[in-house]
Amino acid sequence: MSIRLEEIKPKRVMIVNRGEIASRVAKACRELGHTSVGLWTDNEPDAAHLEYCDEWVHLEGNGNAETYLDMAKLVALAKENNIDGVHPGYGFLSENGNFSTMLSEAGIIFIGPHNEAIKVMGDKATSKALARDAGVPVVPGTSEAVPTVKKALEVAEEIGYPILLKAVAGGGGRGMRACISPEEVQKNFEAVVRESTAAFGNGDLLVEKLIVNPHHIEVQIMADKKGNVYHFFERECSIQRRHQKIIEEAPSPFIGEDEELRRDICETAVKLARSVKYDSAGTVEFIMGEDKKFYFLEMNTRIQVEHPITEEITGVDLIICMIQSAFGDDLQIPSQEWIKKTGHAIECRICAEDPITMLPSPGVVTGFETNFPQGVRFDHCLYRGLEVTPDFDPMVGKLVAKGLVRDVAIRKMKAALAGLYIEGLKNNIPLHKVVMDDPVFNEGGYTTNYITDTAPQERIDKSIDFVSIYRKLAAAEARNMGM
Ligand code: ADP
Ligand code: ADP
Ligand code: MG
């Protein structure tokens, strides 16, 4: 069987984001023949993504609230510029149902799922109830907000400690606290309500069982507007700090060769997506215990940071599919069976953060060079002079390495990390180097407790060879100048 490419009518796509994802979307637009319209702000007039966009539009204002989060301003700009579709990237307005409603009222397509899916999945209580009703296993505990400490204590007693207090509106790893006793529930309840009210404007909490020694395993979904829903296998994202991912791999080393378990988790994700008539790129996240039982965590109704590792093992461009789906074009996927995985891919998130404390460390890039082995992918927004401000996410790039087997992917990642030079900006490359050398990581059975249990940050080589970095930068510069 072969499929012919349908002719695609060129569209105007505005990219309402910045950083590496804005470049990534612009590249996909170019491949499809769509015109990409990038935004520039006074904070970041030389943003790296502008290089890849066909047109640039000035987004006036200071800080995120007046720019990438100002929905009325963005919709007005899109109308002024005759935009057909808006790609929101991740973060910012990517999971904001009001934004997609405002766009559709203005006759503009939101490149993401339909509004109802965003709204239902955006809330950890309603999505959990929906998953349970669809026959998807959910973490024991409540699937509606728990209004008082008293009720929280009752639920905790029923499901047994340890438990997790979790904000229904939480995201980015925030709004969660584990409690091992009734005293801890007493102590933490009000604090989590306060924090999540401040961060998300919603203080509702769930109480759920804390799965011990768990694995974060998620399934990539892609769907079109004709009712086709596909999965693109799983990713393991158990290397986390503060409940946020820093290293991801596909396929999951914990699932390993257990094809039955793989099929089960992937088909469960498809079942959930079908139950909300899902019609775009999305990810169903699960938490898996030592016993390999898995439970639904949440669905992210957007493209995820770590989508490249799935692209590397399946050979499918997920951003392209997402754009095709939004405009009602064919996904060019003949059937689920055509989607095959080959090899193993690993992603290291390169963040402007102190590698030991793992806290954001804003600054200015004074030098940037790469010297990668064959076949490495680096999606990034780095350039000399880039200023990473506290306003933006500290992630500046995603280093992706692939091999036919996991060991080869690890070897390639080590070589890639050794060939990535970022000067002037504190970053977590030294931490990634330790993890790639670590026997626990290499063995592949690690859990979300990995950073806490193995403390790789304590093994960072503090005698980093800055001299050789400077020498390499100088040599590269001399080459560029034709010396
Ligand atoms: P992914 O699985 O795509 O990596 P993350 O949880 O790391 O998801 O979030 C992706 C991006 O979105 C990050 O830049 C993160 O800071 C941001 N983000 C996600 N949810 C929220 C939220 N509720 N509030 C603010 N930022 C968020
Ligand atoms: P967010 O929206 O912030 O991404 P998630 O529900 O996806 O929130 O959880 C983020 C991370 O927190 C998970 O990847 C996992 O490491 C941890 N976590 C969440 N729920 C549980 C649970 N019930 N038991 C153990 N760990 C959990
Ligand atoms: Mg999550």
Side-chain angles (χ1 to χ4, degrees):
M1 183 174 165
S2 72
I3 52 167
R4 304 277 301 274
L5 300 192
E6 277 179 13
E7 200 157 310
I8 292 177
K9 202 165 153 268
K11 304 282 192 328
R12 291 175 60 74
V13 175
M14 181 177 269
I15 304 166
V16 175
N17 215 304
R18 56 166 298 282
E20 64 85 21
I21 194 65
S23 305
R24 174 72 187 85
V25 174
K27 287 181 201 172
C29 288
R30 180 161 301 172
E31 182 179 331
L32 288 170
H34 298 320
T35 300
S36 59
V37 180
L39 299 175
W40 67 273
T41 59
D42 294 318
N43 286 1
E44 221 189 0
D46 305 316
H49 66 267
L50 298 170
E51 195 182 320
Y52 299 94
C53 293
D54 299 314
E55 293 178 23
W56 308 344
V57 167
H58 186 193
L59 175 57
E60 285 175 50
N62 281 311
N64 292 336
E66 289 181 19
T67 55
Y68 294 107
L69 294 173
D70 187 333
M71 298 193 263
K73 192 182 279 179
L74 291 162
V75 174
L77 266 190
K79 278 207 302 214
E80 254 168 58
N81 286 280
N82 297 317
I83 295 300
D84 298 298
V86 162
H87 198 299
Y90 50 73
F92 293 132
L93 298 173
S94 59
E95 292 179 279
N96 190 311
N98 295 334
F99 185 51
S100 80
T101 304
M102 283 168 71
L103 284 169
S104 73
E105 282 168 3
I108 297 164
I109 287 171
F110 175 77
I111 304 180
H114 65 84
N115 202 265
E116 205 40 46
I118 302 179
K119 289 195 170 153
V120 172
M121 291 302 179
D123 178 303
K124 290 193 203 290
T126 50
S127 64
K128 201 171 168 186
L130 182 126
R132 191 197 49 214
D133 294 346
V136 171
V138 297
V139 185
T142 57
S143 51
E144 52 195 47
V146 174
T148 58
V149 186
K150 186 166 168 282
K151 180 74 185 155
L153 287 165
E154 277 169 30
V155 177
E157 210 52 55
E158 208 178 293
I159 58 177
Y161 288 91
I163 61 107
L164 194 63
L165 296 175
K166 195 189 256 192
V168 301
R174 290 180 304 157
M176 255 180 279
R177 251 187 231 195
C179 307
I180 55 164
S181 63
E183 291 69 40
E184 289 202 354
V185 175
Q186 293 273 13
K187 200 180 80 193
N188 288 327
F189 191 89
E190 289 304 326
V192 185
V193 171
R194 235 184 356 260
E195 280 165 17
S196 55
T197 308
F200 312 110
N202 179 345
D204 288 352
L205 298 191
L206 291 180
V207 175
E208 64 181 36
K209 183 119 189 125
L210 183 84
I211 309 295
V212 291
N213 298 325
H215 297 260
H216 173 118
I217 298 178
E218 58 185 35
V219 177
Q220 175 70 51
I221 293 291
M222 182 63 65
D224 62 18
K225 297 205 182 305
K226 300 164 197 163
N228 296 303
V229 182
Y230 307 102
H231 74 77
F232 284 71
F233 305 99
E234 84 285 1
R235 297 184 282 259
E236 171 136 13
C237 316
S238 301
I239 309 264
Q240 306 181 343
R241 45 113 176 75
R242 299 187 295 277
H243 305 299
Q244 270 184 345
K245 306 154 186 171
I246 43 174
I247 298 174
E248 302 94 346
E249 37 185 331
S252 155
F254 185 60
I255 292 184
E257 307 295 306
D258 192 341
E259 293 304 330
E260 204 181 314
L261 178 60
R262 174 165 292 116
R263 198 173 322 113
D264 192 13
I265 197 168
C266 292
E267 286 176 1
T268 301
V270 169
K271 182 162 76 177
L272 180 70
R274 281 195 198 285
S275 77
V276 284
K277 300 197 164 45
Y278 204 72
D279 60 352
S280 184
T283 299
V284 183
E285 297 190 334
F286 297 94
I287 194 99
M288 189 182 278
E290 292 162 297
D291 55 2
K292 297 198 172 175
K293 279 201 182 123
F294 59 84
Y295 309 91
F296 169 72
L297 267 187
E298 64 163 343
M299 181 167 190
N300 287 330
T301 54
R302 56 173 163 89
I303 194 71
Q304 271 188 310
V305 170
E306 59 274 23
H307 75 274
I309 51 175
T310 299
E311 295 184 327
E312 293 304 313
I313 63 160
T314 61
V316 178
D317 187 318
L318 296 168
I319 306 278
I320 293 245
C321 291
M322 194 179 178
I323 297 172
Q324 289 173 321
S325 168
F327 290 130
D329 294 322
D330 200 274
L331 294 189
Q332 299 156 346
I333 299 170
S335 68
Q336 176 69 57
E337 289 64 44
W338 271 63
I339 307 166
K340 301 250 192 297
K341 61 176 181 60
T342 316
H344 195 96
I346 301 177
E347 171 181 280
C348 288
R349 296 192 188 193
I350 308 299
C351 300
E353 64 183 33
D354 184 297
I356 295 170
T357 63
M358 296 178 229
L359 291 169
S361 179
V364 177
V365 177
T366 53
F368 165 55
E369 278 295 328
T370 62
N371 183 5
F372 292 146
Q374 186 60 37
V376 163
R377 168 171 173 181
F378 188 39
D379 288 12
H380 69 91
C381 61
L382 288 161
Y383 60 94
R384 186 188 295 202
L386 168 71
E387 186 182 357
V388 180
T389 72
D391 244 10
F392 295 136
D393 200 276
M395 196 186 75
V396 292
K398 307 182 307 198
L399 191 58
V400 179
K402 188 192 172 181
L404 189 57
V405 294
R406 186 170 183 263
D407 284 353
V408 174
I410 295 175
R411 183 184 72 204
K412 212 172 260 291
M413 180 59 84
K414 284 188 203 173
L417 288 164
L420 176 57
Y421 312 107
I422 303 171
E423 196 191 64
L425 195 64
K426 250 193 197 173
N427 63 70
N428 61 352
I429 296 172
L431 179 73
H432 288 307
K433 287 180 174 166
V434 175
V435 176
M436 289 304 131
D437 278 332
D438 179 45
V440 177
F441 176 77
N442 275 268
E443 188 262 326
Y446 61 80
T447 70
T448 62
N449 306 327
Y450 175 81
I451 297 282
T452 317
D453 288 354
T454 63
Q457 70 276 23
E458 286 168 13
R459 282 173 279 147
I460 289 173
D461 181 5
K462 299 198 183 69
S463 63
I464 296 170
D465 185 6
F466 282 114
V467 175
S468 73
I469 292 179
Y470 290 132
R471 204 170 283 145
K472 283 188 171 108
L473 286 169
E477 226 166 81
R479 260 200 325 277
N480 289 342
M481 288 161 63
M483 287 157 79

